[in-house]
Amino acid sequence: MNISQAVVKRIEGLCRERNLTVNALSNISGVTQSTVNDIVSGKTYNAGIVTIKKLCDGLGISVREFFDCDLFSNLEQEIK
């Protein structure tokens, strides 16, 4: 799994835990729905840290909490 896939899985998992749709997450975080959709669909390969921070703010978690997940433990090396 690469970092982009891990970010998508983490966002989806956090939304499931909170019974939120992607649209609801975009509303509470102030990130446009198209941006969140592009991240979750994989259209955007590199979600910026500012966007992730806004999503975290909407979810009521810190960036540290977002990345403190097993999904990010064994990522593929990005530079080959």
Side-chain angles (χ1 to χ4, degrees):
M1 177 179 314
N2 65 35
I3 186 75
S4 296
Q5 293 165 329
V7 166
V8 170
K9 286 185 182 279
R10 184 66 169 142
I11 291 169
E12 290 173 339
L14 289 165
C15 284
R16 265 192 313 279
E17 288 173 13
R18 291 162 172 76
N19 294 317
L20 290 173
T21 64
V22 171
N23 185 41
L25 176 59
S26 70
N27 288 335
I28 62 174
S29 64
V31 177
T32 64
Q33 184 176 354
S34 63
T35 297
V36 179
N37 285 335
D38 287 350
I39 293 167
V40 172
S41 72
K43 187 175 178 183
T44 296
Y45 183 76
N46 186 11
I49 193 66
V50 172
T51 301
I52 291 174
K53 171 68 168 102
K54 287 179 181 180
L55 294 173
C56 290
D57 290 347
L59 292 163
I61 63 172
S62 69
V63 173
R64 179 184 295 254
E65 289 172 288
F66 182 86
F67 288 108
D68 187 18
C69 174
D70 289 341
L71 289 169
F72 300 102
S73 296
N74 297 308
L75 297 173
E76 296 172 9
Q77 185 173 348
E78 296 288 335
I79 300 173
K80 296 182 181 182

